[in-house]
Short mmCIF file of all heavy atoms in Angstrom, two decimals:
data_model
loop_
_atom_site.label_atom_id
_atom_site.label_comp_id
_atom_site.label_asym_id
_atom_site.label_seq_id
_atom_site.Cartn_x
_atom_site.Cartn_y
_atom_site.Cartn_z
N THR U 388 67.52 75.63 124.75
CA THR U 388 67.91 74.55 125.65
C THR U 388 69.25 74.92 126.27
O THR U 388 70.18 75.30 125.53
CB THR U 388 68.03 73.21 124.90
OG1 THR U 388 66.72 72.72 124.60
CG2 THR U 388 68.74 72.17 125.74
N VAL U 413 62.82 79.56 127.82
CA VAL U 413 63.58 78.36 128.16
C VAL U 413 62.74 77.13 127.82
O VAL U 413 61.64 76.93 128.36
CB VAL U 413 63.97 78.34 129.65
CG1 VAL U 413 64.68 77.04 130.00
CG2 VAL U 413 64.86 79.54 129.97
N PHE U 414 63.26 76.30 126.93
CA PHE U 414 62.55 75.09 126.51
C PHE U 414 62.96 73.87 127.35
O PHE U 414 62.13 73.06 127.73
CB PHE U 414 62.83 74.82 125.03
CG PHE U 414 62.13 73.60 124.50
CD1 PHE U 414 60.81 73.67 124.11
CD2 PHE U 414 62.79 72.38 124.40
CE1 PHE U 414 60.14 72.54 123.61
CE2 PHE U 414 62.14 71.26 123.92
CZ PHE U 414 60.81 71.34 123.52
N ALA U 415 64.27 73.74 127.63
CA ALA U 415 64.75 72.58 128.37
C ALA U 415 66.04 72.92 129.10
O ALA U 415 66.81 73.80 128.67
CB ALA U 415 64.98 71.39 127.44
N LEU U 416 66.29 72.21 130.21
CA LEU U 416 67.49 72.38 131.02
C LEU U 416 68.10 71.02 131.30
O LEU U 416 67.40 70.02 131.41
CB LEU U 416 67.16 73.06 132.35
CG LEU U 416 66.50 74.44 132.31
CD1 LEU U 416 66.08 74.87 133.71
CD2 LEU U 416 67.44 75.47 131.69
N SER U 417 69.43 71.00 131.43
CA SER U 417 70.10 69.77 131.88
C SER U 417 71.15 70.13 132.92
O SER U 417 71.70 71.23 132.90
CB SER U 417 70.75 69.02 130.71
OG SER U 417 72.03 69.54 130.42
N ALA U 418 71.42 69.19 133.82
CA ALA U 418 72.43 69.40 134.86
C ALA U 418 73.00 68.05 135.27
O ALA U 418 72.48 66.99 134.89
CB ALA U 418 71.81 70.12 136.06
N MET U 425 68.52 72.95 140.21
CA MET U 425 67.70 72.65 139.03
C MET U 425 66.22 72.85 139.34
O MET U 425 65.47 73.41 138.54
CB MET U 425 67.95 71.22 138.56
CG MET U 425 67.00 70.74 137.47
SD MET U 425 67.13 71.69 135.93
CE MET U 425 68.36 70.70 135.07
N LEU U 426 65.79 72.43 140.53
CA LEU U 426 64.40 72.62 140.93
C LEU U 426 64.04 74.11 140.95
O LEU U 426 62.97 74.52 140.46
CB LEU U 426 64.16 72.00 142.31
CG LEU U 426 62.74 72.15 142.87
CD1 LEU U 426 61.75 71.34 142.04
CD2 LEU U 426 62.71 71.72 144.34
N GLN U 428 65.45 76.46 139.24
CA GLN U 428 65.41 76.94 137.85
C GLN U 428 64.12 76.53 137.16
O GLN U 428 63.53 77.31 136.40
CB GLN U 428 66.63 76.42 137.09
CG GLN U 428 67.94 77.02 137.57
CD GLN U 428 69.16 76.43 136.88
OE1 GLN U 428 69.07 75.35 136.25
NE2 GLN U 428 70.30 77.09 137.00
N CYS U 429 63.67 75.31 137.44
CA CYS U 429 62.40 74.85 136.86
C CYS U 429 61.23 75.69 137.39
O CYS U 429 60.29 76.01 136.64
CB CYS U 429 62.17 73.38 137.18
SG CYS U 429 63.27 72.26 136.28
N ALA U 430 61.29 76.06 138.65
CA ALA U 430 60.22 76.88 139.24
C ALA U 430 60.19 78.27 138.62
O ALA U 430 59.12 78.84 138.38
CB ALA U 430 60.41 76.97 140.75
N PHE U 432 61.66 79.25 135.51
CA PHE U 432 61.58 79.35 134.05
C PHE U 432 60.57 78.38 133.43
O PHE U 432 60.32 78.46 132.23
CB PHE U 432 62.96 79.11 133.44
CG PHE U 432 63.96 80.18 133.79
CD1 PHE U 432 64.86 80.00 134.84
CD2 PHE U 432 63.99 81.38 133.10
CE1 PHE U 432 65.79 80.98 135.18
CE2 PHE U 432 64.91 82.37 133.42
CZ PHE U 432 65.80 82.17 134.47
N THR U 433 60.02 77.47 134.22
CA THR U 433 59.04 76.46 133.78
C THR U 433 59.37 75.86 132.41
O THR U 433 58.58 75.94 131.47
CB THR U 433 57.61 77.06 133.74
OG1 THR U 433 57.58 78.17 132.83
CG2 THR U 433 57.17 77.49 135.12
N PRO U 434 60.56 75.26 132.28
CA PRO U 434 60.89 74.61 131.01
C PRO U 434 59.98 73.41 130.76
O PRO U 434 59.43 72.84 131.71
CB PRO U 434 62.34 74.17 131.21
CG PRO U 434 62.45 73.96 132.69
CD PRO U 434 61.59 75.03 133.30
N ARG U 435 59.83 73.02 129.51
CA ARG U 435 59.03 71.85 129.22
C ARG U 435 59.73 70.57 129.72
O ARG U 435 59.07 69.67 130.21
CB ARG U 435 58.78 71.72 127.72
CG ARG U 435 57.82 70.58 127.38
CD ARG U 435 57.57 70.45 125.90
NE ARG U 435 57.06 71.68 125.30
CZ ARG U 435 56.75 71.80 124.00
NH1 ARG U 435 56.89 70.74 123.20
NH2 ARG U 435 56.30 72.93 123.54
N TYR U 436 61.07 70.54 129.59
CA TYR U 436 61.81 69.34 129.97
C TYR U 436 63.00 69.70 130.88
O TYR U 436 63.57 70.78 130.76
CB TYR U 436 62.37 68.61 128.74
CG TYR U 436 61.30 68.16 127.77
CD1 TYR U 436 61.21 68.73 126.50
CD2 TYR U 436 60.41 67.15 128.11
CE1 TYR U 436 60.25 68.32 125.60
CE2 TYR U 436 59.44 66.72 127.21
CZ TYR U 436 59.36 67.32 125.96
OH TYR U 436 58.40 66.91 125.08
N ALA U 437 63.36 68.75 131.74
CA ALA U 437 64.58 68.84 132.55
C ALA U 437 65.23 67.46 132.53
O ALA U 437 64.55 66.43 132.55
CB ALA U 437 64.27 69.27 133.97
N VAL U 438 66.55 67.45 132.51
CA VAL U 438 67.32 66.20 132.46
C VAL U 438 68.45 66.27 133.47
O VAL U 438 69.17 67.28 133.53
CB VAL U 438 67.91 65.98 131.04
CG1 VAL U 438 68.78 64.72 131.02
CG2 VAL U 438 66.81 65.88 129.99
N MET U 439 68.59 65.22 134.27
CA MET U 439 69.75 65.08 135.15
C MET U 439 70.67 64.00 134.56
O MET U 439 70.21 63.08 133.88
CB MET U 439 69.32 64.69 136.56
CG MET U 439 68.42 65.70 137.24
SD MET U 439 69.12 67.36 137.43
CE MET U 439 70.49 67.05 138.56
N HIS U 444 69.65 60.92 140.27
CA HIS U 444 69.35 62.34 140.44
C HIS U 444 68.06 62.72 139.70
O HIS U 444 67.32 63.59 140.14
CB HIS U 444 70.52 63.18 139.94
CG HIS U 444 71.71 63.14 140.84
ND1 HIS U 444 72.82 62.37 140.57
CD2 HIS U 444 71.98 63.76 142.01
CE1 HIS U 444 73.71 62.52 141.52
NE2 HIS U 444 73.22 63.37 142.42
N GLY U 445 67.82 62.05 138.58
CA GLY U 445 66.59 62.30 137.84
C GLY U 445 65.35 61.93 138.64
O GLY U 445 64.35 62.65 138.64
N ARG U 446 65.43 60.79 139.33
CA ARG U 446 64.29 60.36 140.15
C ARG U 446 64.04 61.33 141.30
O ARG U 446 62.89 61.64 141.63
CB ARG U 446 64.53 58.94 140.68
CG ARG U 446 64.35 57.85 139.62
CD ARG U 446 64.37 56.48 140.26
NE ARG U 446 65.68 56.13 140.77
CZ ARG U 446 66.62 55.50 140.05
NH1 ARG U 446 66.37 55.17 138.78
NH2 ARG U 446 67.78 55.20 140.58
N VAL U 447 65.11 61.80 141.92
CA VAL U 447 64.96 62.76 143.02
C VAL U 447 64.32 64.05 142.50
O VAL U 447 63.41 64.61 143.13
CB VAL U 447 66.33 63.06 143.67
CG1 VAL U 447 66.18 64.17 144.71
CG2 VAL U 447 66.89 61.79 144.31
N LEU U 448 64.80 64.53 141.35
CA LEU U 448 64.23 65.76 140.78
C LEU U 448 62.77 65.55 140.43
O LEU U 448 61.92 66.43 140.69
CB LEU U 448 65.02 66.19 139.54
CG LEU U 448 64.47 67.41 138.81
CD1 LEU U 448 64.54 68.65 139.70
CD2 LEU U 448 65.20 67.65 137.49
N GLN U 449 62.45 64.41 139.84
CA GLN U 449 61.07 64.14 139.44
C GLN U 449 60.12 64.19 140.65
O GLN U 449 59.02 64.75 140.57
CB GLN U 449 60.99 62.78 138.76
CG GLN U 449 59.65 62.49 138.11
CD GLN U 449 59.73 61.26 137.24
OE1 GLN U 449 60.31 60.23 137.62
NE2 GLN U 449 59.15 61.33 136.05
N GLU U 450 60.56 63.64 141.76
CA GLU U 450 59.75 63.64 142.96
C GLU U 450 59.54 65.07 143.48
O GLU U 450 58.44 65.45 143.88
CB GLU U 450 60.39 62.77 144.04
CG GLU U 450 59.58 62.67 145.32
CD GLU U 450 58.21 62.05 145.12
OE1 GLU U 450 58.06 61.21 144.21
OE2 GLU U 450 57.27 62.44 145.86
N LYS U 451 60.60 65.87 143.44
CA LYS U 451 60.50 67.25 143.92
C LYS U 451 59.65 68.10 142.98
O LYS U 451 58.91 68.99 143.43
CB LYS U 451 61.89 67.85 144.09
CG LYS U 451 62.69 67.19 145.21
CD LYS U 451 63.93 67.98 145.57
CE LYS U 451 64.63 67.37 146.79
NZ LYS U 451 65.67 68.23 147.34
N ILE U 452 59.76 67.85 141.68
CA ILE U 452 58.92 68.54 140.71
C ILE U 452 57.45 68.26 141.00
O ILE U 452 56.59 69.16 141.00
CB ILE U 452 59.28 68.10 139.27
CG1 ILE U 452 60.65 68.62 138.86
CG2 ILE U 452 58.18 68.51 138.29
CD1 ILE U 452 60.69 70.05 138.44
N LYS U 453 57.16 66.99 141.30
CA LYS U 453 55.78 66.58 141.61
C LYS U 453 55.29 67.23 142.89
O LYS U 453 54.15 67.73 142.96
CB LYS U 453 55.71 65.06 141.71
CG LYS U 453 54.32 64.51 141.94
CD LYS U 453 54.35 62.98 141.98
CE LYS U 453 52.95 62.42 142.24
NZ LYS U 453 52.98 60.92 142.29
N ASN U 455 56.17 69.98 144.18
CA ASN U 455 55.98 71.42 144.01
C ASN U 455 54.98 71.76 142.90
O ASN U 455 54.81 72.94 142.58
CB ASN U 455 57.33 72.09 143.72
CG ASN U 455 58.23 72.16 144.93
OD1 ASN U 455 58.19 73.13 145.68
ND2 ASN U 455 59.04 71.13 145.15
N ASP U 456 54.36 70.72 142.35
CA ASP U 456 53.30 70.90 141.35
C ASP U 456 53.78 71.77 140.17
O ASP U 456 53.10 72.70 139.73
CB ASP U 456 52.06 71.53 141.99
CG ASP U 456 50.82 71.39 141.11
OD1 ASP U 456 50.77 70.43 140.33
OD2 ASP U 456 49.93 72.25 141.20
N LEU U 457 54.99 71.44 139.65
CA LEU U 457 55.54 72.16 138.52
C LEU U 457 55.23 71.41 137.23
O LEU U 457 55.12 70.18 137.22
CB LEU U 457 57.06 72.32 138.68
CG LEU U 457 57.52 73.13 139.91
CD1 LEU U 457 59.04 73.14 140.00
CD2 LEU U 457 56.98 74.56 139.83
N PRO U 458 55.10 72.11 136.11
CA PRO U 458 54.70 71.47 134.86
C PRO U 458 55.84 70.77 134.11
O PRO U 458 55.60 70.08 133.13
CB PRO U 458 54.16 72.64 134.03
CG PRO U 458 54.95 73.82 134.52
CD PRO U 458 55.15 73.59 135.99
N THR U 459 57.08 70.94 134.55
CA THR U 459 58.23 70.39 133.84
C THR U 459 58.23 68.87 133.87
O THR U 459 58.02 68.25 134.91
CB THR U 459 59.54 70.92 134.46
OG1 THR U 459 59.56 72.34 134.36
CG2 THR U 459 60.75 70.35 133.74
N LEU U 460 58.53 68.27 132.71
CA LEU U 460 58.65 66.82 132.58
C LEU U 460 60.12 66.44 132.70
O LEU U 460 60.96 66.99 131.98
CB LEU U 460 58.09 66.35 131.24
CG LEU U 460 58.21 64.85 130.92
CD1 LEU U 460 57.40 64.02 131.91
CD2 LEU U 460 57.78 64.57 129.49
N VAL U 461 60.44 65.52 133.60
CA VAL U 461 61.82 65.06 133.78
C VAL U 461 62.06 63.86 132.87
O VAL U 461 61.39 62.83 133.00
CB VAL U 461 62.10 64.68 135.25
CG1 VAL U 461 63.54 64.19 135.40
CG2 VAL U 461 61.85 65.87 136.16
N LEU U 462 63.01 64.00 131.95
CA LEU U 462 63.37 62.91 131.04
C LEU U 462 64.52 62.12 131.65
O LEU U 462 65.48 62.71 132.15
CB LEU U 462 63.78 63.44 129.68
CG LEU U 462 62.74 64.24 128.89
CD1 LEU U 462 63.31 64.66 127.55
CD2 LEU U 462 61.48 63.42 128.70
N GLN U 463 64.45 60.79 131.57
CA GLN U 463 65.48 59.96 132.17
C GLN U 463 66.07 58.93 131.21
O GLN U 463 66.85 58.08 131.60
CB GLN U 463 64.92 59.24 133.41
CG GLN U 463 64.46 60.20 134.50
CD GLN U 463 64.07 59.49 135.77
OE1 GLN U 463 64.80 58.65 136.28
NE2 GLN U 463 62.90 59.83 136.31
N ALA U 464 65.70 58.98 129.94
CA ALA U 464 66.26 58.05 128.97
C ALA U 464 67.75 58.33 128.78
O ALA U 464 68.21 59.46 128.95
CB ALA U 464 65.53 58.21 127.63
N ALA U 467 68.47 61.25 126.65
CA ALA U 467 67.62 62.40 126.95
C ALA U 467 68.29 63.73 126.64
O ALA U 467 67.64 64.66 126.12
CB ALA U 467 67.18 62.36 128.41
N ILE U 468 69.58 63.85 126.95
CA ILE U 468 70.27 65.13 126.70
C ILE U 468 70.33 65.41 125.20
O ILE U 468 70.16 66.55 124.76
CB ILE U 468 71.68 65.13 127.33
CG1 ILE U 468 71.58 65.02 128.85
CG2 ILE U 468 72.45 66.38 126.94
CD1 ILE U 468 72.91 65.03 129.56
N ILE U 470 68.14 64.40 123.08
CA ILE U 470 66.78 64.72 122.67
C ILE U 470 66.49 66.20 122.85
O ILE U 470 65.97 66.87 121.95
CB ILE U 470 65.76 63.87 123.46
CG1 ILE U 470 65.85 62.40 123.02
CG2 ILE U 470 64.34 64.40 123.27
CD1 ILE U 470 65.02 61.46 123.88
N ILE U 471 66.84 66.75 124.01
CA ILE U 471 66.53 68.17 124.25
C ILE U 471 67.47 69.10 123.48
O ILE U 471 67.16 70.27 123.29
CB ILE U 471 66.56 68.52 125.76
CG1 ILE U 471 67.96 68.33 126.36
CG2 ILE U 471 65.53 67.69 126.52
CD1 ILE U 471 68.09 68.86 127.79
N HIS U 474 65.72 68.77 119.69
CA HIS U 474 64.27 68.81 119.57
C HIS U 474 63.83 69.82 118.50
O HIS U 474 64.39 70.90 118.36
CB HIS U 474 63.66 69.21 120.92
CG HIS U 474 62.21 68.88 121.04
ND1 HIS U 474 61.23 69.62 120.42
CD2 HIS U 474 61.56 67.89 121.72
CE1 HIS U 474 60.04 69.11 120.71
NE2 HIS U 474 60.21 68.07 121.50
N GLU U 476 61.44 71.80 118.26
CA GLU U 476 60.93 73.11 118.69
C GLU U 476 62.01 74.01 119.28
O GLU U 476 61.72 75.15 119.67
CB GLU U 476 59.81 72.90 119.71
CG GLU U 476 58.58 72.21 119.13
CD GLU U 476 57.45 72.12 120.14
OE1 GLU U 476 57.12 73.14 120.76
OE2 GLU U 476 56.91 71.01 120.31
#
Side-chain angles (χ1 to χ4, degrees):
T388 286
V413 176
F414 181 82
L416 302 173
S417 84
M425 172 63 92
L426 179 67
Q428 292 176 344
C429 289
F432 295 97
T433 60
R435 186 180 303 181
Y436 300 113
V438 176
M439 300 301 295
H444 287 101
R446 285 190 291 270
V447 174
L448 177 64
Q449 189 169 43
E450 182 61 31
K451 293 192 174 191
I452 290 281
K453 183 178 179 180
N455 287 270
D456 195 28
L457 298 176
T459 300
L460 177 64
V461 179
L462 299 181
Q463 298 187 49
I468 296 181
I470 290 172
I471 64 171
H474 198 285
E476 295 184 50

